[in-house]
Amino acid sequence: MFGFITFNDKIHTQGGFLGNMRYLDFGTWIRQQFPFRVQKISIDAGFTCPNRDGKISSGGCTFCDNRTFSPSFCTKEKTITRQLEDGKAFFAHKYPDMKYLAYFQSFTNTYAKTDQLKQMYEEALAVDDVVGVVIGTRPDCMSNELLDYLEALSHQTFLIVEYGIESANNQTLLRINRGHTFECSRDTIERTHARGILTGGHIILGLPGEDQQESLRQAPIISSLPLDILKIHQLQIIRGTRLAREYARQPFHLYSVEEYIDLIISYVSLLRDDLVLERFVSQSPADLLIAPKWGLKNHEFTNLLNKRIRERTTR
């Protein structure tokens, strides 16, 4: 049913590990959800965050700069409809029959009144060939009123709500100015999952104060959450962030490619088999990235990961 990478069988380029190392990759999973190809289109709907606007803090998370993942067509000066149309034009050359998921990605995309949020999500769904919505947000910005609406919406269209967890260590969350606890993440993820909504989470490996041992300690905790989808990526130091200033004053360890591959293999082995893994790395623009400068595209990292597995297989 799935294309798996295994320690004992032939290695494929798609899928996940079997045996002690098994995962279902997002590409395989999403193809099973639709009878056609789908592509996410990122949207900047003009949101901010409660730890940026002073509600709970200011300055945002120490590592954050939204420019690292926002494509050129994604800008809050354009309407949601215009951003989606521009995104469709950008991707149309790949597959003319492509359909799209409107990805509310920048900042906290549930940080507004419910009526305003409804208008935004429904504007996106009204665009031709948009077949679903993905909403990125924080676990401290999800009311039961909004969950009522999203539960109903999930019966009408494809919907994923993904939460920035970042770490299961409250000391780390405090250090990076996250503005919420892990207990908050668990509670909100459980409330969302209980509504039957596809629920995603995002974590960062290598945050200040978290070594390999600490990350592996957290893996079973993250796996115990009722998540459907998990995104993982390495810590990156981005120019202009508070974390960049901290790193300049007192550098801390950042993973080399080889160290990170070993960590990913160990980390994934501690996750449950039915958890869909959407990614292992993030790729920031070279002019914004201070470190670590791996010089790898996402598929190149995956190739190195596969090579490491082959090496282990032949030992």
Side-chain angles (χ1 to χ4, degrees), residues 72-100:
S72 58
F73 56 77
C74 176
T75 171
K76 63 184 179 182
E77 284 72 33
K78 300 179 184 178
T79 66
I80 290 169
T81 299
R82 183 74 266 159
Q83 290 181 61
L84 287 169
E85 293 292 355
D86 289 350
K88 286 166 56 179
F90 180 84
F91 289 113
H93 69 283
K94 295 182 68 175
Y95 302 100
D97 58 347
M98 182 90 75
K99 305 296 184 183
Y100 300 94

PDB file of all heavy atoms in Angstrom, residues 72-100:
ATOM      1  N   SER A  72       7.268  34.456  -2.800  1.00  0.00           N
ATOM      2  CA  SER A  72       7.153  35.831  -3.285  1.00  0.00           C
ATOM      3  C   SER A  72       5.706  36.260  -3.506  1.00  0.00           C
ATOM      4  O   SER A  72       5.370  37.431  -3.349  1.00  0.00           O
ATOM      5  CB  SER A  72       7.941  35.994  -4.591  1.00  0.00           C
ATOM      6  OG  SER A  72       7.463  35.083  -5.576  1.00  0.00           O
ATOM      7  N   PHE A  73       4.839  35.323  -3.890  1.00  0.00           N
ATOM      8  CA  PHE A  73       3.447  35.684  -4.147  1.00  0.00           C
ATOM      9  C   PHE A  73       2.633  35.811  -2.868  1.00  0.00           C
ATOM     10  O   PHE A  73       1.468  36.193  -2.902  1.00  0.00           O
ATOM     11  CB  PHE A  73       2.778  34.661  -5.085  1.00  0.00           C
ATOM     12  CG  PHE A  73       2.848  33.238  -4.596  1.00  0.00           C
ATOM     13  CD1 PHE A  73       2.013  32.780  -3.593  1.00  0.00           C
ATOM     14  CD2 PHE A  73       3.757  32.348  -5.143  1.00  0.00           C
ATOM     15  CE1 PHE A  73       2.072  31.464  -3.157  1.00  0.00           C
ATOM     16  CE2 PHE A  73       3.832  31.038  -4.706  1.00  0.00           C
ATOM     17  CZ  PHE A  73       2.989  30.593  -3.712  1.00  0.00           C
ATOM     18  N   CYS A  74       3.244  35.478  -1.730  1.00  0.00           N
ATOM     19  CA  CYS A  74       2.547  35.459  -0.453  1.00  0.00           C
ATOM     20  C   CYS A  74       2.859  36.751   0.305  1.00  0.00           C
ATOM     21  O   CYS A  74       3.897  36.872   0.943  1.00  0.00           O
ATOM     22  CB  CYS A  74       3.002  34.232   0.337  1.00  0.00           C
ATOM     23  SG  CYS A  74       2.353  34.081   2.001  1.00  0.00           S
ATOM     24  N   THR A  75       1.967  37.733   0.224  1.00  0.00           N
ATOM     25  CA  THR A  75       2.174  39.007   0.882  1.00  0.00           C
ATOM     26  C   THR A  75       0.849  39.578   1.332  1.00  0.00           C
ATOM     27  O   THR A  75      -0.142  39.525   0.586  1.00  0.00           O
ATOM     28  CB  THR A  75       2.909  40.008  -0.035  1.00  0.00           C
ATOM     29  OG1 THR A  75       2.911  41.296   0.572  1.00  0.00           O
ATOM     30  CG2 THR A  75       2.253  40.103  -1.400  1.00  0.00           C
ATOM     31  N   LYS A  76       0.820  40.127   2.528  1.00  0.00           N
ATOM     32  CA  LYS A  76      -0.443  40.588   3.118  1.00  0.00           C
ATOM     33  C   LYS A  76      -1.019  41.798   2.392  1.00  0.00           C
ATOM     34  O   LYS A  76      -2.187  42.145   2.618  1.00  0.00           O
ATOM     35  CB  LYS A  76      -0.236  40.910   4.596  1.00  0.00           C
ATOM     36  CG  LYS A  76       0.743  42.052   4.856  1.00  0.00           C
ATOM     37  CD  LYS A  76       0.959  42.231   6.346  1.00  0.00           C
ATOM     38  CE  LYS A  76       1.957  43.351   6.626  1.00  0.00           C
ATOM     39  NZ  LYS A  76       2.208  43.498   8.079  1.00  0.00           N
ATOM     40  N   GLU A  77      -0.237  42.452   1.528  1.00  0.00           N
ATOM     41  CA  GLU A  77      -0.763  43.575   0.760  1.00  0.00           C
ATOM     42  C   GLU A  77      -1.771  43.115  -0.302  1.00  0.00           C
ATOM     43  O   GLU A  77      -2.553  43.919  -0.806  1.00  0.00           O
ATOM     44  CB  GLU A  77       0.372  44.355   0.091  1.00  0.00           C
ATOM     45  CG  GLU A  77       1.169  45.248   1.031  1.00  0.00           C
ATOM     46  CD  GLU A  77       2.061  44.466   1.986  1.00  0.00           C
ATOM     47  OE1 GLU A  77       2.556  43.401   1.575  1.00  0.00           O
ATOM     48  OE2 GLU A  77       2.248  44.926   3.133  1.00  0.00           O
ATOM     49  N   LYS A  78      -1.749  41.837  -0.638  1.00  0.00           N
ATOM     50  CA  LYS A  78      -2.700  41.285  -1.596  1.00  0.00           C
ATOM     51  C   LYS A  78      -3.873  40.651  -0.847  1.00  0.00           C
ATOM     52  O   LYS A  78      -3.726  40.191   0.286  1.00  0.00           O
ATOM     53  CB  LYS A  78      -2.029  40.204  -2.453  1.00  0.00           C
ATOM     54  CG  LYS A  78      -0.848  40.666  -3.273  1.00  0.00           C
ATOM     55  CD  LYS A  78      -0.276  39.479  -4.043  1.00  0.00           C
ATOM     56  CE  LYS A  78       0.968  39.835  -4.822  1.00  0.00           C
ATOM     57  NZ  LYS A  78       1.538  38.646  -5.520  1.00  0.00           N
ATOM     58  N   THR A  79      -5.023  40.588  -1.500  1.00  0.00           N
ATOM     59  CA  THR A  79      -6.151  39.876  -0.922  1.00  0.00           C
ATOM     60  C   THR A  79      -5.844  38.385  -0.878  1.00  0.00           C
ATOM     61  O   THR A  79      -4.945  37.893  -1.576  1.00  0.00           O
ATOM     62  CB  THR A  79      -7.431  40.089  -1.743  1.00  0.00           C
ATOM     63  OG1 THR A  79      -7.254  39.482  -3.040  1.00  0.00           O
ATOM     64  CG2 THR A  79      -7.750  41.580  -1.879  1.00  0.00           C
ATOM     65  N   ILE A  80      -6.594  37.660  -0.078  1.00  0.00           N
ATOM     66  CA  ILE A  80      -6.445  36.206  -0.025  1.00  0.00           C
ATOM     67  C   ILE A  80      -6.683  35.608  -1.408  1.00  0.00           C
ATOM     68  O   ILE A  80      -5.926  34.743  -1.871  1.00  0.00           O
ATOM     69  CB  ILE A  80      -7.413  35.623   1.017  1.00  0.00           C
ATOM     70  CG1 ILE A  80      -6.949  36.002   2.427  1.00  0.00           C
ATOM     71  CG2 ILE A  80      -7.528  34.108   0.879  1.00  0.00           C
ATOM     72  CD1 ILE A  80      -7.951  35.707   3.516  1.00  0.00           C
ATOM     73  N   THR A  81      -7.720  36.087  -2.085  1.00  0.00           N
ATOM     74  CA  THR A  81      -8.027  35.582  -3.422  1.00  0.00           C
ATOM     75  C   THR A  81      -6.870  35.832  -4.385  1.00  0.00           C
ATOM     76  O   THR A  81      -6.460  34.938  -5.138  1.00  0.00           O
ATOM     77  CB  THR A  81      -9.306  36.254  -3.966  1.00  0.00           C
ATOM     78  OG1 THR A  81     -10.396  35.939  -3.089  1.00  0.00           O
ATOM     79  CG2 THR A  81      -9.618  35.778  -5.374  1.00  0.00           C
ATOM     80  N   ARG A  82      -6.285  37.039  -4.351  1.00  0.00           N
ATOM     81  CA  ARG A  82      -5.186  37.370  -5.247  1.00  0.00           C
ATOM     82  C   ARG A  82      -3.965  36.495  -4.962  1.00  0.00           C
ATOM     83  O   ARG A  82      -3.278  36.028  -5.893  1.00  0.00           O
ATOM     84  CB  ARG A  82      -4.820  38.850  -5.083  1.00  0.00           C
ATOM     85  CG  ARG A  82      -3.723  39.365  -6.004  1.00  0.00           C
ATOM     86  CD  ARG A  82      -4.233  39.521  -7.412  1.00  0.00           C
ATOM     87  NE  ARG A  82      -3.982  38.338  -8.244  1.00  0.00           N
ATOM     88  CZ  ARG A  82      -4.647  38.050  -9.352  1.00  0.00           C
ATOM     89  NH1 ARG A  82      -5.607  38.829  -9.774  1.00  0.00           N
ATOM     90  NH2 ARG A  82      -4.364  36.976 -10.057  1.00  0.00           N
ATOM     91  N   GLN A  83      -3.656  36.278  -3.702  1.00  0.00           N
ATOM     92  CA  GLN A  83      -2.523  35.423  -3.361  1.00  0.00           C
ATOM     93  C   GLN A  83      -2.723  34.012  -3.896  1.00  0.00           C
ATOM     94  O   GLN A  83      -1.786  33.393  -4.423  1.00  0.00           O
ATOM     95  CB  GLN A  83      -2.321  35.384  -1.842  1.00  0.00           C
ATOM     96  CG  GLN A  83      -1.810  36.687  -1.255  1.00  0.00           C
ATOM     97  CD  GLN A  83      -1.601  36.594   0.242  1.00  0.00           C
ATOM     98  OE1 GLN A  83      -0.814  35.801   0.730  1.00  0.00           O
ATOM     99  NE2 GLN A  83      -2.319  37.424   0.993  1.00  0.00           N
ATOM    100  N   LEU A  84      -3.941  33.507  -3.774  1.00  0.00           N
ATOM    101  CA  LEU A  84      -4.214  32.161  -4.273  1.00  0.00           C
ATOM    102  C   LEU A  84      -4.135  32.110  -5.795  1.00  0.00           C
ATOM    103  O   LEU A  84      -3.576  31.155  -6.362  1.00  0.00           O
ATOM    104  CB  LEU A  84      -5.583  31.699  -3.786  1.00  0.00           C
ATOM    105  CG  LEU A  84      -5.651  31.346  -2.296  1.00  0.00           C
ATOM    106  CD1 LEU A  84      -7.095  31.167  -1.844  1.00  0.00           C
ATOM    107  CD2 LEU A  84      -4.848  30.072  -2.002  1.00  0.00           C
ATOM    108  N   GLU A  85      -4.673  33.108  -6.459  1.00  0.00           N
ATOM    109  CA  GLU A  85      -4.598  33.125  -7.926  1.00  0.00           C
ATOM    110  C   GLU A  85      -3.153  33.223  -8.404  1.00  0.00           C
ATOM    111  O   GLU A  85      -2.749  32.550  -9.360  1.00  0.00           O
ATOM    112  CB  GLU A  85      -5.424  34.282  -8.488  1.00  0.00           C
ATOM    113  CG  GLU A  85      -6.931  34.147  -8.282  1.00  0.00           C
ATOM    114  CD  GLU A  85      -7.562  33.012  -9.085  1.00  0.00           C
ATOM    115  OE1 GLU A  85      -6.850  32.373  -9.888  1.00  0.00           O
ATOM    116  OE2 GLU A  85      -8.769  32.758  -8.906  1.00  0.00           O
ATOM    117  N   ASP A  86      -2.359  34.044  -7.726  1.00  0.00           N
ATOM    118  CA  ASP A  86      -0.942  34.154  -8.092  1.00  0.00           C
ATOM    119  C   ASP A  86      -0.211  32.847  -7.810  1.00  0.00           C
ATOM    120  O   ASP A  86       0.672  32.437  -8.578  1.00  0.00           O
ATOM    121  CB  ASP A  86      -0.283  35.305  -7.328  1.00  0.00           C
ATOM    122  CG  ASP A  86      -0.741  36.674  -7.813  1.00  0.00           C
ATOM    123  OD1 ASP A  86      -1.419  36.742  -8.859  1.00  0.00           O
ATOM    124  OD2 ASP A  86      -0.429  37.678  -7.139  1.00  0.00           O
ATOM    125  N   GLY A  87      -0.555  32.211  -6.706  1.00  0.00           N
ATOM    126  CA  GLY A  87       0.049  30.918  -6.394  1.00  0.00           C
ATOM    127  C   GLY A  87      -0.323  29.859  -7.419  1.00  0.00           C
ATOM    128  O   GLY A  87       0.528  29.061  -7.834  1.00  0.00           O
ATOM    129  N   LYS A  88      -1.572  29.853  -7.830  1.00  0.00           N
ATOM    130  CA  LYS A  88      -2.005  28.910  -8.866  1.00  0.00           C
ATOM    131  C   LYS A  88      -1.214  29.125 -10.154  1.00  0.00           C
ATOM    132  O   LYS A  88      -0.780  28.168 -10.796  1.00  0.00           O
ATOM    133  CB  LYS A  88      -3.501  29.071  -9.125  1.00  0.00           C
ATOM    134  CG  LYS A  88      -4.387  28.503  -8.036  1.00  0.00           C
ATOM    135  CD  LYS A  88      -5.831  28.975  -8.167  1.00  0.00           C
ATOM    136  CE  LYS A  88      -6.421  28.661  -9.512  1.00  0.00           C
ATOM    137  NZ  LYS A  88      -7.831  29.109  -9.619  1.00  0.00           N
ATOM    138  N   ALA A  89      -1.020  30.388 -10.530  1.00  0.00           N
ATOM    139  CA  ALA A  89      -0.250  30.685 -11.741  1.00  0.00           C
ATOM    140  C   ALA A  89       1.193  30.209 -11.602  1.00  0.00           C
ATOM    141  O   ALA A  89       1.803  29.728 -12.571  1.00  0.00           O
ATOM    142  CB  ALA A  89      -0.291  32.190 -12.012  1.00  0.00           C
ATOM    143  N   PHE A  90       1.744  30.322 -10.408  1.00  0.00           N
ATOM    144  CA  PHE A  90       3.120  29.902 -10.154  1.00  0.00           C
ATOM    145  C   PHE A  90       3.285  28.395 -10.344  1.00  0.00           C
ATOM    146  O   PHE A  90       4.287  27.928 -10.876  1.00  0.00           O
ATOM    147  CB  PHE A  90       3.518  30.314  -8.737  1.00  0.00           C
ATOM    148  CG  PHE A  90       4.919  29.942  -8.351  1.00  0.00           C
ATOM    149  CD1 PHE A  90       5.984  30.750  -8.688  1.00  0.00           C
ATOM    150  CD2 PHE A  90       5.175  28.780  -7.635  1.00  0.00           C
ATOM    151  CE1 PHE A  90       7.284  30.419  -8.328  1.00  0.00           C
ATOM    152  CE2 PHE A  90       6.464  28.428  -7.271  1.00  0.00           C
ATOM    153  CZ  PHE A  90       7.521  29.250  -7.613  1.00  0.00           C
ATOM    154  N   PHE A  91       2.285  27.620  -9.889  1.00  0.00           N
ATOM    155  CA  PHE A  91       2.402  26.160  -9.920  1.00  0.00           C
ATOM    156  C   PHE A  91       1.787  25.523 -11.164  1.00  0.00           C
ATOM    157  O   PHE A  91       2.001  24.338 -11.413  1.00  0.00           O
ATOM    158  CB  PHE A  91       1.724  25.551  -8.682  1.00  0.00           C
ATOM    159  CG  PHE A  91       2.469  25.794  -7.398  1.00  0.00           C
ATOM    160  CD1 PHE A  91       1.932  26.611  -6.415  1.00  0.00           C
ATOM    161  CD2 PHE A  91       3.703  25.200  -7.171  1.00  0.00           C
ATOM    162  CE1 PHE A  91       2.609  26.842  -5.225  1.00  0.00           C
ATOM    163  CE2 PHE A  91       4.391  25.422  -5.983  1.00  0.00           C
ATOM    164  CZ  PHE A  91       3.847  26.246  -5.011  1.00  0.00           C
ATOM    165  N   ALA A  92       1.031  26.277 -11.942  1.00  0.00           N
ATOM    166  CA  ALA A  92       0.240  25.693 -13.026  1.00  0.00           C
ATOM    167  C   ALA A  92       1.087  24.966 -14.068  1.00  0.00           C
ATOM    168  O   ALA A  92       0.611  24.014 -14.701  1.00  0.00           O
ATOM    169  CB  ALA A  92      -0.594  26.776 -13.703  1.00  0.00           C
ATOM    170  N   HIS A  93       2.338  25.389 -14.251  1.00  0.00           N
ATOM    171  CA  HIS A  93       3.169  24.777 -15.287  1.00  0.00           C
ATOM    172  C   HIS A  93       3.503  23.324 -14.962  1.00  0.00           C
ATOM    173  O   HIS A  93       3.816  22.546 -15.861  1.00  0.00           O
ATOM    174  CB  HIS A  93       4.470  25.572 -15.449  1.00  0.00           C
ATOM    175  CG  HIS A  93       5.392  25.467 -14.269  1.00  0.00           C
ATOM    176  ND1 HIS A  93       5.182  26.172 -13.103  1.00  0.00           N
ATOM    177  CD2 HIS A  93       6.512  24.717 -14.068  1.00  0.00           C
ATOM    178  CE1 HIS A  93       6.144  25.870 -12.236  1.00  0.00           C
ATOM    179  NE2 HIS A  93       6.954  24.998 -12.789  1.00  0.00           N
ATOM    180  N   LYS A  94       3.432  22.938 -13.686  1.00  0.00           N
ATOM    181  CA  LYS A  94       3.820  21.582 -13.295  1.00  0.00           C
ATOM    182  C   LYS A  94       2.762  20.564 -13.722  1.00  0.00           C
ATOM    183  O   LYS A  94       3.056  19.576 -14.377  1.00  0.00           O
ATOM    184  CB  LYS A  94       4.035  21.513 -11.782  1.00  0.00           C
ATOM    185  CG  LYS A  94       5.193  22.365 -11.281  1.00  0.00           C
ATOM    186  CD  LYS A  94       5.386  22.229  -9.793  1.00  0.00           C
ATOM    187  CE  LYS A  94       5.859  20.860  -9.394  1.00  0.00           C
ATOM    188  NZ  LYS A  94       6.158  20.776  -7.947  1.00  0.00           N
ATOM    189  N   TYR A  95       1.526  20.814 -13.310  1.00  0.00           N
ATOM    190  CA  TYR A  95       0.428  19.906 -13.621  1.00  0.00           C
ATOM    191  C   TYR A  95      -0.810  20.749 -13.910  1.00  0.00           C
ATOM    192  O   TYR A  95      -1.406  21.321 -12.998  1.00  0.00           O
ATOM    193  CB  TYR A  95       0.150  18.964 -12.447  1.00  0.00           C
ATOM    194  CG  TYR A  95       1.326  18.130 -12.028  1.00  0.00           C
ATOM    195  CD1 TYR A  95       2.096  18.480 -10.929  1.00  0.00           C
ATOM    196  CD2 TYR A  95       1.685  16.987 -12.755  1.00  0.00           C
ATOM    197  CE1 TYR A  95       3.185  17.714 -10.545  1.00  0.00           C
ATOM    198  CE2 TYR A  95       2.785  16.227 -12.382  1.00  0.00           C
ATOM    199  CZ  TYR A  95       3.522  16.589 -11.275  1.00  0.00           C
ATOM    200  OH  TYR A  95       4.594  15.841 -10.908  1.00  0.00           O
ATOM    201  N   PRO A  96      -1.243  20.822 -15.150  1.00  0.00           N
ATOM    202  CA  PRO A  96      -2.381  21.677 -15.503  1.00  0.00           C
ATOM    203  C   PRO A  96      -3.663  21.335 -14.754  1.00  0.00           C
ATOM    204  O   PRO A  96      -4.512  22.201 -14.554  1.00  0.00           O
ATOM    205  CB  PRO A  96      -2.540  21.432 -17.015  1.00  0.00           C
ATOM    206  CG  PRO A  96      -1.185  20.976 -17.469  1.00  0.00           C
ATOM    207  CD  PRO A  96      -0.623  20.198 -16.326  1.00  0.00           C
ATOM    208  N   ASP A  97      -3.803  20.068 -14.318  1.00  0.00           N
ATOM    209  CA  ASP A  97      -5.020  19.655 -13.627  1.00  0.00           C
ATOM    210  C   ASP A  97      -4.861  19.685 -12.099  1.00  0.00           C
ATOM    211  O   ASP A  97      -5.641  19.076 -11.375  1.00  0.00           O
ATOM    212  CB  ASP A  97      -5.436  18.252 -14.071  1.00  0.00           C
ATOM    213  CG  ASP A  97      -4.347  17.212 -13.810  1.00  0.00           C
ATOM    214  OD1 ASP A  97      -3.198  17.614 -13.524  1.00  0.00           O
ATOM    215  OD2 ASP A  97      -4.642  16.005 -13.900  1.00  0.00           O
ATOM    216  N   MET A  98      -3.858  20.395 -11.620  1.00  0.00           N
ATOM    217  CA  MET A  98      -3.589  20.474 -10.185  1.00  0.00           C
ATOM    218  C   MET A  98      -4.740  21.143  -9.443  1.00  0.00           C
ATOM    219  O   MET A  98      -5.367  22.079  -9.928  1.00  0.00           O
ATOM    220  CB  MET A  98      -2.309  21.279  -9.951  1.00  0.00           C
ATOM    221  CG  MET A  98      -1.888  21.394  -8.493  1.00  0.00           C
ATOM    222  SD  MET A  98      -0.795  20.077  -7.996  1.00  0.00           S
ATOM    223  CE  MET A  98       0.738  20.583  -8.782  1.00  0.00           C
ATOM    224  N   LYS A  99      -5.021  20.654  -8.219  1.00  0.00           N
ATOM    225  CA  LYS A  99      -5.914  21.322  -7.284  1.00  0.00           C
ATOM    226  C   LYS A  99      -5.076  21.829  -6.113  1.00  0.00           C
ATOM    227  O   LYS A  99      -3.902  21.466  -5.962  1.00  0.00           O
ATOM    228  CB  LYS A  99      -7.003  20.375  -6.787  1.00  0.00           C
ATOM    229  CG  LYS A  99      -7.809  19.710  -7.892  1.00  0.00           C
ATOM    230  CD  LYS A  99      -8.598  20.695  -8.706  1.00  0.00           C
ATOM    231  CE  LYS A  99      -9.455  19.971  -9.740  1.00  0.00           C
ATOM    232  NZ  LYS A  99     -10.189  20.894 -10.623  1.00  0.00           N
ATOM    233  N   TYR A 100      -5.694  22.653  -5.252  1.00  0.00           N
ATOM    234  CA  TYR A 100      -4.883  23.384  -4.282  1.00  0.00           C
ATOM    235  C   TYR A 100      -5.498  23.384  -2.887  1.00  0.00           C
ATOM    236  O   TYR A 100      -6.722  23.323  -2.712  1.00  0.00           O
ATOM    237  CB  TYR A 100      -4.700  24.830  -4.761  1.00  0.00           C
ATOM    238  CG  TYR A 100      -4.016  24.897  -6.100  1.00  0.00           C
ATOM    239  CD1 TYR A 100      -4.756  24.966  -7.276  1.00  0.00           C
ATOM    240  CD2 TYR A 100      -2.628  24.836  -6.193  1.00  0.00           C
ATOM    241  CE1 TYR A 100      -4.132  24.992  -8.509  1.00  0.00           C
ATOM    242  CE2 TYR A 100      -2.001  24.857  -7.429  1.00  0.00           C
ATOM    243  CZ  TYR A 100      -2.754  24.933  -8.587  1.00  0.00           C
ATOM    244  OH  TYR A 100      -2.129  24.941  -9.798  1.00  0.00           O
TER     245      TYR A 100
END
